[in-house]
Amino acid sequence: MANLVPIKKEQHQNLKIAAQRSLKHIAGLHIVPITAPEYSKGAMSFPVFIVKDPDTNRYRSVAMLGLETGENLFMKGDDWTGLYAPQSVGMVPFALGLDPEKEKTLTACVDMDSEYVGEDKDLALYDDKGEETELMKNVQDTLGRLYESEVMTERFIKEMQDAELLEEVELVITFANGEKKKIVGIHTIKEPKLRELSDEQVLDFHKRGLFIPIHSMLASIGQLNRLAQLRNEQKELKVAGVQVVPLEK
């Protein structure tokens, strides 16, 4: 459990961050958050789907990194082997959190229990004069852009819901020995419904750039073959095929 605390000059003037950090904290994750502005980059490496949180009933978009729970096919030891890593997972040990001194205000936080944090590390958050270093400024800017991207993603998903373009599917994984496994609870864009959009909707979507994440998500489904290939390189039980099956309602 992360020990996130708001970064304050008074308490953290001497705090430093390790120069070398890895993505090993996601080694056991088969899905991680990804935002809509990242879909086009992510689609070149892994499938992008939308999942529904069973506790909150809210939808969120994720990058699929494995075909089984706990399986991250892009990690080799502590090293990330993918071409692109979702922005959210690369911010460790930083994250946005509520500022206890300002109501309903988000601020940059740091995980004080992280192995990358300490006064004996490499990169300072504040200089000798108490001014923010370039690192600290970059962290704040990046967290701010990430928050904006998350807001854009929520709006994008809401747009897809309102236009009835979200479709629940299941992945049917067939193994070389004939066994089958299903992955459920995922959604993608309903392509046939996309072709039924009115001319007015098409123009509206085009002007607002919605077709970029839409087509990126659809294109990313082809990366299921890449996941199967990576798994076959790493596991004894081989995958013979992965099929995306729409769930009829």
Side-chain angles (χ1 to χ4, degrees):
M1 189 72 177
N3 178 22
L4 290 172
V5 299
I7 301 174
K8 301 292 183 182
K9 181 175 67 174
E10 296 76 14
Q11 290 108 13
H12 304 121
Q13 185 164 347
N14 298 320
L15 199 65
K16 296 181 179 180
I17 308 299
Q20 298 296 321
R21 305 188 292 277
S22 76
L23 295 179
K24 63 182 181 180
H25 59 286
I26 65 169
L29 300 179
H30 74 294
I31 58 171
V32 294
I34 189 170
T35 63
E38 300 178 272
Y39 289 177
S40 57
K41 292 181 180 178
M44 294 185 289
S45 294
F46 34 69
V48 175
F49 289 108
I50 291 173
V51 299
K52 191 175 185 180
D53 189 320
D55 297 324
T56 64
N57 285 328
R58 291 180 61 185
Y59 289 93
R60 60 192 178 99
S61 56
V62 297
M64 181 173 286
L65 308 179
L67 296 174
E68 293 185 283
T69 301
E71 176 183 80
N72 186 330
L73 298 168
F74 291 89
M75 294 298 296
K76 189 175 182 179
D78 291 344
D79 297 325
W80 171 261
T81 62
L83 296 175
Y84 179 78
Q87 194 174 32
S88 63
V89 302
M91 288 307 298
V92 168
F94 301 103
L96 277 177
L98 289 173
D99 188 336
E101 298 177 5
K102 299 177 182 178
E103 188 177 357
K104 297 182 180 179
T105 300
L106 294 173
T107 189
C109 297
V110 63
D111 179 7
M112 295 301 294
D113 289 345
S114 170
E115 63 182 291
Y116 304 125
V117 176
E119 295 187 5
D120 60 341
K121 302 302 180 185
D122 313 296
L123 306 174
L125 299 180
Y126 298 93
D127 61 22
D128 295 338
K129 298 179 181 179
E131 300 293 329
E132 294 177 351
T133 62
E134 285 302 311
L135 169 65
M136 184 60 186
K137 292 176 182 177
N138 288 338
V139 166
Q140 291 177 321
D141 289 344
T142 304
L143 287 174
R145 289 195 300 271
L146 179 58
Y147 174 73
E148 291 174 358
S149 294
E150 290 172 346
V151 172
M152 289 174 60
T153 304
E154 288 188 6
R155 290 174 179 167
F156 170 74
I157 294 175
K158 182 65 165 56
E159 292 268 12
M160 297 303 98
Q161 287 180 272
D162 291 345
E164 298 181 345
L165 286 171
L166 278 191
E167 176 180 48
E168 187 173 4
V169 299
E170 65 180 16
L171 304 185
V172 180
I173 305 166
T174 303
F175 296 96
N177 63 359
E179 292 181 10
K180 290 189 177 183
K181 178 180 179 179
K182 294 181 180 180
I183 298 178
V184 298
I186 57 177
H187 300 73
T188 188
I189 301 298
K190 190 173 185 178
E191 196 166 2
K193 186 72 174 178
L194 192 63
R195 293 192 291 268
E196 296 175 4
L197 292 177
S198 67
D199 292 346
E200 184 179 355
Q201 286 175 303
V202 169
L203 182 60
D204 177 53
F205 277 29
H206 174 71
K207 285 184 175 180
R208 292 190 290 130
L210 294 181
F211 283 120
I212 297 174
I214 285 173
H215 289 303
S216 295
M217 180 177 288
L218 286 171
S220 78
I221 293 175
Q223 297 298 343
L224 286 168
N225 292 327
R226 174 166 170 75
L227 291 187
Q229 180 184 24
L230 289 173
R231 193 183 191 285
N232 287 346
E233 292 172 357
Q234 300 174 30
K235 307 284 185 177
E236 185 174 342
L237 181 57
K238 308 301 182 184
V239 173
V242 182
Q243 184 180 12
V244 180
V245 180
L247 294 182
E248 298 292 339
K249 291 190 176 180

